[in-house]
Amino acid sequence: MWIATLSSSEVGRDRPLGVKRLNMNLVFWRDKSGKVNALLDDCPHRHAKLSLGKVVDGNIQCPYHGFEFDGSGRTVKIPALGKASEVPKYLRAFSIPTYETYDIIWIWYGNGDLSKPPRFFDDLDELSTYSEYSEVWSVSLPRAVENQLDVFHLPFVHYNTIGRGGKTLVHGPLVRLIDEHSFIIYPFNEVDRGQRLLRSNQIDASKLKNYLWFIYPNIWENYISRNMRIIAFFAPIDSGSTKIYIRLYMKAAGIRTIDKVITKLLMPLNVYVLHQDRRVVLTQPNDIKHDKLIHADYPIALYRRMYLRDKELNKLLNNATTVTQSLNMKKWF
Ligand code: FES
Ligand SMILES: [Fe+2]
């Protein structure tokens, strides 16, 4: 399965980038055509970090003895052997498949059809202008994701921003399951005047304009209006830290440069709201087992079912020693 891990802007042309994702130290770089490659950040020779090396002719060169590897992990050069000798085949770096689209770099883990591109939101097409902000939270992936699927923390955590108005009563929640990896939530909250709580089938969905769309394993959209969306993705670093990327997509004036300025100007408000979340979410333990959920947690329960069934991701995040098995190494070569 593809998982969103980096913003395209983080991987430049000249220098390799060493980052931790899915509990693995990885090195990313672009080859001559601009394609992003990823290897375990671990030279197969004597295990120096490749990310300290250089990009040479589109390959990554180890900083220690200058061995060069291409994006598939093949050793293409061993300087000490000289040009006249052949490079032995047993020396391979460990390659991780990558995919770049929508200015996001995905990497592959576990099973599935590698030839299918990663899924993204198909309602975004006209809104190509965005600004981005990212930061690392010391929380597990589920805690970071669930915070954004939570439809009833707003009047408390965001009482003076997006949760103004004290709408504490949570109807439904109305959730449309798209398939086994995706769902849409239509939040419907009201001020509690003693009225009856509505079940999801008693809610008139046609009146609800705002929705949250989640695609497993880690991308999220908040549909604010036709011309404004917030997209987030949650890149798992290890079992207890996650990098959160937020993008504000807009079509305001319809002129890219102006829209870009507007999204930049509005970003501090989004960051303020994000930090209201962070203050609380950072106090939650990483272990989700002991939570006791209520009706309004239904979207969170749906997400957990997907996450807990995903054995490969759980293994990667919670048991670093099985990394290479979970990556399903055989299929790639
Ligand atoms: S450790 Fe990388 S070339 Fe020797
Ligand atoms: Fe929030």
Side-chain angles (χ1 to χ4, degrees):
M1 177 163 281
W2 294 111
I3 185 162
T5 45
L6 287 168
S7 184
S8 287
S9 60
E10 291 174 290
V11 184
R13 283 259 167 191
D14 318 313
R15 255 196 246 145
L17 172 76
V19 286
K20 192 171 186 190
R21 292 289 185 270
L22 295 178
N23 235 342
M24 299 177 284
N25 290 314
L26 302 174
V27 57
F28 288 85
W29 80 97
R30 289 183 190 276
D31 63 21
K32 281 181 171 165
S33 66
K35 185 191 173 298
V36 173
N37 297 296
L39 300 177
L40 284 187
D41 193 4
D42 179 18
C43 178
H45 175 223
R46 275 164 48 206
H47 302 288
K49 270 194 188 255
L50 294 169
S51 57
L52 294 180
K54 284 190 212 148
V55 178
V56 177
D57 295 332
N59 299 314
I60 180 110
Q61 184 192 61
C62 180
Y64 206 173
H65 311 98
F67 291 22
E68 289 173 26
F69 306 93
D70 68 12
S72 74
R74 197 168 61 92
T75 312
V76 292
K77 189 172 175 184
I78 297 181
L81 281 174
K83 289 193 179 113
S85 315
E86 241 184 69
V87 173
K89 291 214 171 31
Y90 69 87
L91 249 167
R92 280 194 79 101
F94 195 98
S95 154
I96 316 284
T98 62
Y99 201 105
E100 185 172 26
T101 182
Y102 299 100
D103 291 349
I104 296 174
I105 297 165
W106 273 264
I107 61 172
W108 181 261
Y109 72 91
N111 301 302
D113 184 356
L114 198 90
S115 65
K116 277 198 196 147
R119 291 174 63 182
F120 199 65
F121 307 106
D122 57 16
D123 63 349
L124 248 184
D125 287 351
E126 300 162 61
L127 306 180
S128 54
T129 312
Y130 69 88
S131 283
E132 184 178 279
Y133 173 82
S134 61
E135 67 181 24
V136 175
W137 285 14
S138 303
V139 295
S140 63
L141 175 67
R143 291 297 189 202
V145 169
E146 290 175 3
N147 171 238
Q148 303 298 338
L149 303 176
D150 183 323
V151 292
F152 64 124
H153 71 286
L154 273 71
F156 301 97
V157 172
H158 308 297
Y159 67 95
N160 60 349
T161 54
I162 55 172
R164 266 197 308 258
K167 295 181 180 174
T168 53
L169 184 67
V170 182
H171 297 295
L174 182 60
V175 177
R176 187 159 65 87
L177 252 186
I178 298 174
D179 55 45
E180 57 171 340
H181 290 135
S182 173
F183 58 85
I184 292 180
I185 312 162
Y186 299 89
F188 180 33
N189 304 342
E190 286 187 314
V191 173
D192 188 359
R193 299 179 306 271
Q195 71 273 47
R196 227 165 31 95
L197 188 66
L198 300 176
R199 293 181 172 277
S200 58
N201 58 6
Q202 297 168 317
I203 296 173
D204 180 1
S206 64
K207 294 208 178 79
L208 304 176
K209 298 282 178 272
N210 168 247
Y211 60 81
L212 305 174
W213 184 354
F214 177 70
I215 301 178
Y216 190 82
N218 69 336
I219 60 172
W220 173 93
E221 179 191 77
N222 180 358
Y223 180 99
I224 297 166
S225 72
R226 260 189 71 193
N227 296 330
M228 191 193 245
R229 316 287 158 79
I230 298 174
I231 301 289
F233 60 99
F234 311 90
I237 297 170
D238 55 31
S239 59
S241 51
T242 304
K243 187 161 179 180
I244 301 186
Y245 295 78
I246 290 200
R247 289 180 180 178
L248 177 63
Y249 281 80
M250 269 188 93
K251 187 176 164 193
I255 301 162
R256 276 181 84 101
T257 45
I258 298 177
D259 286 352
K260 183 89 186 171
V261 173
I262 297 173
T263 57
K264 275 205 172 131
L265 290 173
L266 288 173
M267 192 47 96
L269 172 64
N270 286 294
V271 175
Y272 181 79
V273 170
L274 184 72
H275 288 173
Q276 289 185 315
D277 287 313
R278 186 179 65 178
R279 176 176 164 265
V280 178
V281 176
L282 254 53
T283 65
Q284 294 181 284
N286 285 329
D287 191 353
I288 54 177
K289 270 203 306 286
H290 305 291
D291 293 7
K292 303 199 173 43
L293 307 184
I294 66 161
H295 78 290
D297 288 306
Y298 178 57
I300 288 170
L302 269 180
Y303 161 72
R304 282 191 187 181
R305 198 170 62 185
M306 296 173 184
Y307 175 70
L308 294 171
R309 280 180 181 168
D310 188 348
K311 299 277 178 278
E312 283 86 13
L313 187 58
N314 276 274
K315 254 193 269 171
L316 280 165
L317 288 176
N318 302 320
N319 184 0
T321 56
T322 53
V323 161
T324 45
Q325 286 98 304
S326 309
L327 287 168
N328 210 359
M329 180 171 184
K330 284 191 299 295
K331 288 205 172 154
W332 300 348
F333 302 115

